[in-house]
Amino acid sequence: MIVKKLQDIIGTADDVRTDTWASRRLLLRKDGMGFSLHDTIIYAGTETRIWYKHHLEAVYCIEGKGEIELVDTGEVIPIEPGTLYALDGHEKHLLRAERDMRMICVFNPPVTGREVHDESGVYPLLEEVGGR
Ligand code: 9YT
C-alpha cells in the first residue's frame, strides 16, 4: 500500500510549478496505479492554455472560483467547489481562475512527474528516465 501526505510533497521534485499553477503530484507513473493523481492550485487572475493531446484528464474543484472555455466551441463553463470536468475528447481549453482554485486532477495515462505544458499547451508523452 502507498501512503503519502501533501506536506511531504510540497517543495520536492513532485511539486511542479509554473507561472499559473502548482501541481503537487501525489501519485505518478512510478507508483504503478495506471493513473496519476494531483492536488493542483490554479493561481487567481491567471489564464492557462491547455491541450492534453496524449492524456485524458478529470478535474474536480474543491476550492476557489473560475471557468473553463472550450477553444473549438467558445463554450464557457463556470467552476466552483463541487464541479467536475472530464476532458474525454482531448478538448483544447483555456482555464481561468478568479480566485485560487484547488483542483484534484487524475491523468490517464499517468504523468511521470516532470511534465509542464509546452507552447501549444500540450503535455508531451515523456519516457521515464532514471527509474521515474
Ligand atoms: C487543471 C489543470 O489542468 N491544471 C494544470 C496542471 C495539471 N492539472 C497538472 O499537471 O496537475
Side-chain angles (χ1 to χ4, degrees):
M1 191 174 83
I2 300 164
V3 178
K4 297 186 189 181
K5 297 198 178 207
L6 180 61
Q7 279 311 319
D8 299 334
I9 288 168
I10 290 172
T12 71
D14 293 341
D15 179 2
V16 178
R17 299 177 189 203
T18 72
D19 289 344
T20 58
W21 50 261
S23 175
R24 292 80 62 91
R25 294 174 172 172
L26 292 155
L27 289 172
L28 289 159
R29 190 163 86 176
K30 66 186 176 192
D31 294 303
M33 294 292 290
F35 56 86
S36 58
L37 178 70
H38 313 184
D39 181 329
T40 300
I41 307 291
I42 312 292
Y43 300 136
T46 64
E47 176 182 89
T48 310
R49 176 173 291 267
I50 301 175
W51 182 28
Y52 295 118
K53 186 178 178 181
H54 308 295
H55 299 81
L56 298 171
E57 187 202 28
V59 179
Y60 184 61
C61 177
I62 57 171
E63 292 174 15
K65 187 172 184 222
E67 64 184 23
I68 178 172
E69 178 176 338
L70 300 180
V71 172
D72 288 348
T73 63
E75 187 182 1
V76 175
I77 298 117
I79 300 171
E80 60 181 14
T83 304
L84 163 84
Y85 64 85
L87 299 161
D88 59 345
H90 302 277
E91 292 91 343
K92 293 180 182 172
H93 58 285
L94 297 164
L95 190 57
R96 301 187 191 100
E98 186 178 321
R99 296 203 302 268
D100 276 5
M101 290 193 293
R102 188 167 176 203
M103 319 284 256
I104 305 303
C105 310
V106 176
F107 279 82
N108 170 23
V111 307
T112 67
R114 288 167 289 128
E115 294 92 337
V116 295
H117 306 106
D118 70 12
E119 62 283 350
S120 347
V122 175
Y123 272 13
L125 266 179
L126 293 180
E127 288 308 311
E128 298 200 10
V129 175
R132 297 197 44 163

